[in-house]
Structures are given as C-alpha cells and as structure tokens.
Amino acid sequence: LIAAFLQGLFVSTDLILEGNYIKASATLKQDYEIMTRLNEIHKGRSKYGKVPNPQNGPTTMKKVYCYLNNIAHISKNDILDSLLLYTDKNEISGFSPVKKIQKEYLNDLFIYDSFIKLEVLRHCLILHQELLGEDETYKKALAYYNVVIKIYTEDPIIEKLPEK
C-alpha cells in the first residue's frame, strides 16, 4: 500500500495545481482509502475485498471523505456549476472545458492532500520501526514528523474547513 501511494505521490498535487478539482478529488479519495486501509491493518480491522471504512480514518478527517465524494461523484449540480460554469464580462455564461483556479477548492484540497500525506508518513515511520527498530534515521524522521504534526494539532486546520 505504501509503495502504491508513493507511485502516485504527486498525482493529486499536480491535478490540484492544474485546477482539475474533480479529478483531484477522485485521486485524493483513493489516497484517503489507502491511508484508511493502513489504519485498519495497523489496528487489525482490515477486511479482505472490502472498501476501507472511513470510520477507521483519523477522527479529524471524517468530513474530508464526504467532501471528496461530493466533488468526485459529480452528482450535485451546484458543485458542478461552481467548478465549471464561466461567466464573462458581458454576463454571458456557459460551461467551460478550460480549467480555472478557484481559491476555495485549491486551499481545501491542498490541506487535505498534505494531511493524507502526513498520515501515510506516520505509517511509513511505523513500518520502519517494525523492520529496522529505532535507528538514527527513524529518530530523525520522527522528530521532523512531530514538528509538522504539532502545527496541525495546535491550529487544527482540518476542523476549520466548512463541510461541502
């Protein structure tokens, strides 16, 4: 799972930067499921052939899965309108195939992307510890991880984001 995650490490990030929020949401949803499956395995709750249960993800991330589903499943017209509708200076509007950067989606998706990466990093640290023990590499990586995760816990960005 970690290898699969690393193979696509920057796919979501690239899609977000391009303004391709629908596709980015779909890839982030898959990243979320990888992260959740890692949590299930670590907690002994993994079920072969079953989609990872979002309830096994981090508690601060539960609303993220719903947010990503709402965009990725393209079944809500208001979300599609906000992502694809273009209105020019003359008030003429229509749906545009040209991607546009939208700060609201850009910010939300980047925060979710970075948090998922941090959670997978935590599982990388757990794996490293299981395979190689608490060597110098582990200790250094854990120290850096703790600095970054402290920022998220002191100022819980995830909790401040609105549910869509």
Side-chain angles (χ1 to χ4, degrees):
L1 287 173
I2 290 171
F5 182 83
L6 291 174
Q7 285 179 2
L9 187 62
F10 296 110
V11 172
S12 297
T13 306
D14 290 344
L15 289 168
I16 295 166
L17 284 171
E18 292 172 2
N20 198 340
Y21 306 121
I22 295 170
K23 299 279 186 189
S25 295
T27 61
L28 279 172
K29 193 175 140 199
Q30 185 179 51
D31 290 347
Y32 184 94
E33 290 174 355
I34 290 171
M35 172 199 70
T36 302
R37 175 68 77 208
L38 288 167
N39 282 345
E40 288 178 342
I41 291 168
H42 184 70
K43 294 175 182 176
R45 296 181 185 164
S46 179
K47 294 180 182 169
Y48 179 81
K50 299 289 182 184
V51 175
N53 185 338
Q55 297 299 319
N56 291 317
T59 56
T60 54
M61 294 284 287
K62 288 188 178 152
K63 69 179 178 180
V64 172
Y65 195 71
C66 293
Y67 177 91
L68 296 173
N69 264 331
N70 283 338
I71 299 171
H73 283 180
I74 59 172
S75 61
K76 296 187 177 180
N77 290 346
D78 56 328
I79 294 172
L80 284 173
D81 286 353
S82 70
L83 288 167
L84 303 172
L85 193 62
Y86 175 78
T87 304
D88 70 8
K89 296 179 223 172
N90 299 321
E91 300 295 320
I92 297 172
S93 65
F95 293 98
S96 174
V98 178
K99 296 172 261 183
K100 59 182 177 181
I101 301 299
Q102 294 186 40
K103 198 173 177 180
E104 173 190 352
Y105 291 100
L106 179 83
N107 290 339
D108 291 357
L109 294 175
F110 261 135
I111 289 167
Y112 297 157
D113 183 38
S114 64
F115 197 87
I116 291 167
K117 285 177 177 158
L118 279 171
E119 184 64 13
V120 173
L121 173 60
R122 185 177 71 82
H123 285 286
C124 290
L125 290 169
I126 291 168
L127 180 61
H128 183 100
Q129 183 185 33
E130 289 173 359
L131 295 175
L132 302 170
E134 295 185 14
D135 60 4
E136 280 304 307
T137 303
Y138 172 82
K139 290 176 185 173
K140 194 179 285 187
L142 182 62
Y144 288 129
Y145 172 81
N146 285 331
V147 167
V148 174
I149 206 68
K150 186 176 178 186
I151 294 167
Y152 274 86
T153 55
E154 286 180 354
D155 183 18
I157 298 166
I158 298 294
E159 293 300 319
K160 292 180 181 178
L161 292 175
E163 292 185 47
K164 304 276 192 273

